[in-house]
Amino acid sequence: MAKLKIDNRSARRLWLHSQGLGSTPTGPLDLSATIHALGFVQLDTIQVVSRAHHHILWSRNQNYREPMLDRLLAKDRAVFEHFTHDASVLPMEFLPMWRRQFDRMRAYYDRAGWVRGLPDAAERQKIKDRIAREGALSTHAFDTKIEGDRQMWHRPPHKLALDYMWYAGELATCHRVNFTKFYDLAERVFPAHLREAELTEVEQITWLCNAALDRMSFGALGDVQRFWDAVTREEVRAWSDKADLIPVEIQSADGSWVSAVAPADIEQRLAMLTPVTSRLRILNPFDPVIRDRNRLSRLFGFEYRVEMFVPAAKRIWGYYVFPILEGDRFVGRIKVKADRKASCLTVLNLWVEPGVKWTAARAEKLEAELARMARFVGVDSVLWVDQG
């Protein structure tokens, strides 16, 4: 039986619709539903314009504003923080399927060499006892010091202990103040009915793999494994042997074809597929559509890397450069920075992708998006800086 072939444009549209970028980012905002549809939203401390998690959510619905996620975490308890491929927020209802990830992270850090200096179980219990008495505490409530020479990534013992217990699910993020995390006992953050729900390890793996593929519409088994980074390759293979999957061929941007799998309803998805919005959008470097660089390059022919950790002399584009998506095509990248004191969004540079004609209409679309971004971060104007 021949594999179902999905041409490149259809594949791009499937992926963008699956990740919430297929429709115009307007209309009523259901933030919980948006995060549920994405699966998770990556957290990041860097704030060149807006922190990654806020920018990602704003890209899906431009009625979003930054305080909304904080309320969802601290007041509504509709999301929780933990580690996927990086620190992220996930829907609280996913907690029963995330229990093994707490155990995996505990085991990983038990083996990891960098946890030298981690306080022992008795000392960690003292920290938990203090939180039990005083309520949620941040790392600033403790004053242990790094012993020996200071090196990159070395942290004080109390910070190691707090993070270890957070990874292991003993502590949970209660709320944040100016992005500073406050830790509380897990039982005071996670609802009892979700904490007490028991799923077998196989049930959790099955859910994680099905949920990943559902949110991608298609992918190789490696794509499924990397989506949450909460299962192993061997576990994904075992899942695929029993799952109801459709083998497909996906056309890449260069015209070549690669093998993948898709959910059982892939033909229905294709039948209902519509063109994506023609809106031009400035995406965050940590956007889920950008995160998997191989998938990005394969589907869109767009080569992108995050250069904030690259030495300045070796950067091609710059410290923090935003991809520009128009419809189902990446048409450029832009270097922009918010100056809140001056109430200005400053455009430092713009690069147009090869083969893209920068028309007056496209320029107007970019100006409109910059104006919307300025309103999002609460500044009054957009300033283009002439760098020759």
Side-chain angles (χ1 to χ4, degrees), residues 114-126:
W114 70 265
V115 295
R116 288 190 303 270
L118 174 70
D120 61 21
E123 290 300 313
R124 296 198 301 271
Q125 186 61 48
K126 290 179 182 178

Side-chain angles (χ1 to χ4, degrees), residues 1-6 210 213 217-221 224 239-240 242-250 258-270:
M1 182 177 176
K3 291 182 180 179
L4 175 66
K5 287 184 174 286
I6 302 176
N210 285 335
L213 187 59
S217 288
F218 59 86
L221 296 186
V224 175
W239 160 79
S240 69
K242 298 179 180 179
D244 186 11
L245 304 178
I246 305 298
V248 295
E249 292 280 334
I250 305 295
V258 295
S259 296
V261 294
D265 66 347
I266 184 60
E267 292 193 49
Q268 181 181 357
R269 295 187 187 208
L270 287 167

Side-chain angles (χ1 to χ4, degrees), residues 48-87:
V48 173
V49 174
S50 178
R51 290 190 173 99
H53 39 288
H54 297 309
H55 189 172
I56 290 166
L57 293 168
W58 176 77
S59 292
R60 272 75 188 167
N61 190 308
Q62 294 184 345
N63 290 315
Y64 173 81
R65 292 297 181 267
E66 294 182 357
M68 294 178 180
L69 182 60
D70 296 328
R71 287 199 298 270
L72 212 62
L73 172 72
K75 183 179 178 181
D76 300 339
R77 293 283 187 254
V79 295
F80 70 98
E81 290 187 11
H82 205 248
F83 208 85
T84 56
H85 70 289
D86 211 321

